[in-house]
Amino acid sequence: MTATRTRTEEPSTKSLWRNGDFLKFWLGETLSLLGTQVTNLALPLTAITAFNATDEQVGVLRFLQLVPYLGLALVFGVWVDRARRRRIMLGANLVRMILLALVPVLYWTDALGLGSLLVIACAVGVASVLFDVSWMSYVPTLVRDPKHYVEAGAKMGMTSSAADVAGPGIAGVLVGALTAPVALIVDAFSYLVSLISLLLIRTPEPRPEAPAARRHMPTELRDGLRLVLKNPVLRSLALIGFCCNFSMITVWTMFLLYGTRELHLDSATLGGIFATASVGGLIGAAISRKVIRRFRLGLVYLVAQSALLIGPTLIVLAAGPRPVMVGMFVISFFTTYLGLGVAGVVIVSLRQASTRQSMMGRMTAVFRTLLFGGGALGGLFAGLLSGRIGARGALTVAAIGSAAVLIALVLSPVCRLRALPSAPEEPVTAAADGHAVD
């Protein structure tokens, strides 16, 4: 390693609180995720309140928001590994900002219909795929030192949890005051702030090295899949993550239908339930680094994921006067989010530590395909099952299925890990012929 390279990487040994570019990215992502929480509540409520959408139609809406991950994440992952990620993120956020700002404009001009809302939801999902595949691969460019991956993961986890806490409450208030379509202006503005924060970053992003031989999309897709499926830790994280996301989106969608149609809870109350419960996620992300330092990494993962999977059971058990039921709902989601807050830091740190930089985009794409694919199928399943047997009966089925995943969790090799694995080295490039030796 040259002296110039050493001087370039020296700042990465400092705390991330002194890494100005990471803090800019973190701020922009925080506000962006906050706006996304508004959208997650405002879009289905727009369908329910403005168009009297059926349970099945709400399920289709949630499916269309997430289904682009199933078809596009792997392809986008290959592209991301060939290009500079910051430029891709700028374009994706610009598209999301314009599309979401379009919803209230169409609403004010009486041009918004359920069909156009579904199309916009799907298009926003496509842009979200591109951004999500890029940002996790971009963070190591700002952090550089693998020793700070857990710290970066904890900070990003706190970002997500803080958005979970504030977002639903703000969304409920905004939807109640402005109507659901108009509330999406907040999300559009959040993407504008994220755009500005990305533009202010000054850390140079290296240009991806030109391949020694011509690249083939199917080959690179296969390489990404092989990386995840042949690594026991990554494979287990991906498959269990699929189940967890399926469970969470299923329960969330079913509860939204149950709360609005059967319990007649208003948007402010629903937002308050999610906001109060999401404090658990904020606490989980905040304590994750200390917990990981004190206990075995695998044990932390096991306990956190167990809390996530058991949480939905409390919704089914909720009974009695309305205040008691609402309290049980809060405890249920609090437990789920607490487990998610801790587990998310462990999962992201393990993924980054187990993957070399040149494969980061494709690894992320495989995970996004499985995780959000699980969410997409969960949203569709929730709408179809709720329409057939009612939201409360569907919640019972979902809670049983979620608890059953504990069997696979206990058998996971991740639960036996004591600490993060050593970071893999990049393949050595032979000077003689320029071909990479993998």
Side-chain angles (χ1 to χ4, degrees):
M1 182 178 291
T2 65
T4 302
R5 170 97 179 206
T6 302
R7 285 195 299 271
T8 301
E9 293 188 350
E10 185 177 354
S12 69
T13 62
K14 299 178 181 178
S15 168
L16 291 182
W17 286 110
R18 298 185 180 183
N19 187 327
D21 281 345
F22 174 80
L23 294 179
K24 293 171 190 173
F25 175 78
W26 189 24
L27 172 64
E29 184 65 3
T30 299
L31 294 175
S32 177
L33 287 173
L34 183 64
T36 299
Q37 286 297 321
V38 175
T39 297
N40 286 342
L41 188 61
L43 276 178
L45 285 180
T46 297
I48 293 171
T49 59
F51 304 111
N52 197 28
T54 64
D55 291 357
E56 291 84 355
Q57 288 171 332
V58 173
V60 169
L61 174 65
R62 289 297 288 156
F63 176 73
L64 289 176
Q65 283 182 278
L66 298 173
V67 73
Y69 286 91
L70 279 173
L72 297 175
L74 289 173
V75 175
F76 285 168
V78 173
W79 182 31
V80 163
D81 279 338
R82 297 178 178 181
R84 287 192 170 114
R85 284 115 186 194
R86 189 172 74 120
R87 294 177 181 176
I88 295 174
M89 291 188 291
L90 285 167
N93 270 354
L94 179 62
V95 170
R96 290 196 286 186
M97 180 185 71
I98 293 172
L99 287 172
L100 289 172
L102 188 61
V103 173
V105 172
L106 293 175
Y107 179 73
W108 287 326
T109 57
D110 294 324
L112 183 68
L114 183 59
S116 58
L117 187 67
L118 294 175
V119 171
I120 290 174
C122 188
V124 170
V126 173
S128 296
V129 175
L130 194 53
F131 186 90
D132 287 345
V133 169
S134 302
W135 82 258
M136 194 174 296
S137 305
Y138 180 65
V139 167
T141 299
L142 303 177
V143 175
R144 296 181 186 160
D145 190 344
K147 293 180 181 178
H148 289 310
Y149 285 170
V150 171
E151 181 183 356
K155 284 179 166 55
M156 297 304 293
M158 288 183 66
T159 288
S160 179
S161 299
D164 287 341
V165 171
I170 293 174
V173 172
L174 289 173
V175 169
L178 304 174
T179 71
V182 181
L184 292 171
I185 291 177
V186 175
D187 198 4
F189 178 77
S190 73
Y191 288 126
L192 174 62
V193 176
S194 180
L195 275 170
I196 295 172
S197 69
L198 284 170
L199 288 170
L200 292 174
I201 291 174
R202 291 293 176 262
T203 299
E205 183 180 4
R207 183 188 300 273
E209 293 184 7
R214 183 180 178 183
R215 286 174 164 174
H216 298 281
M217 177 74 72
T219 301
E220 294 187 74
L221 288 174
R222 187 176 65 248
D223 289 344
L225 287 168
R226 182 186 299 146
L227 170 70
V228 173
L229 297 180
K230 286 196 172 183
N231 184 309
V233 170
L234 293 178
R235 180 175 65 244
S236 178
L237 289 175
L239 296 179
I240 291 178
F242 173 90
C243 296
C244 289
N245 265 31
F246 183 92
S247 169
M248 289 184 63
I249 300 300
T250 296
V251 171
W252 192 93
T253 305
M254 288 174 174
F255 178 76
L256 188 62
L257 295 170
Y258 177 53
T260 54
R261 298 200 190 284
E262 297 188 28
L263 299 182
H264 305 291
L265 301 176
D266 57 36
S267 58
T269 301
L270 289 170
I273 291 172
F274 290 125
T276 305
S278 296
V279 173
L282 184 60
I283 293 173
I287 66 174
S288 59
R289 289 179 65 198
K290 292 183 179 179
V291 172
I292 291 170
R293 283 199 299 264
R294 183 168 182 178
F295 300 100
R296 281 193 309 107
L297 188 71
L299 179 61
V300 173
Y301 173 77
L302 173 62
V303 174
Q305 289 284 61
S306 296
L308 187 157
L309 292 167
I310 293 173
T313 304
L314 298 176
I315 298 178
V316 179
L317 297 177
R322 176 160 296 195
V324 175
M325 293 185 69
V326 170
M328 290 287 285
F329 297 152
V330 170
I331 294 173
S332 171
F333 285 109
F334 181 93
T335 303
T336 297
Y337 290 146
L338 178 64
L340 179 63
V342 176
V345 174
V346 175
I347 292 167
V348 171
S349 300
L350 276 172
R351 286 164 55 181
Q352 291 174 334
S354 302
T355 308
R356 61 181 188 262
Q357 182 63 26
S358 62
M359 292 290 294
M360 199 72 74
R362 277 166 283 179
M363 176 278 294
T364 302
V366 174
F367 269 85
R368 283 300 194 246
T369 298
L370 289 171
L371 299 185
F372 284 86
L377 295 175
L380 182 61
F381 175 75
L384 295 177
L385 189 62
S386 295
R388 182 172 292 273
I389 66 174
R392 182 170 178 79
L395 279 168
T396 302
V397 174
I400 294 172
S402 181
V405 181
L406 287 171
I407 299 173
L409 177 64
V410 172
L411 298 176
S412 168
V414 180
C415 296
R416 297 191 289 273
L417 292 176
R418 303 195 64 84
L420 287 175
S422 300
E425 297 182 356
E426 291 289 338
V428 178
T429 302
D433 57 8
H435 290 282
V437 179
D438 202 342

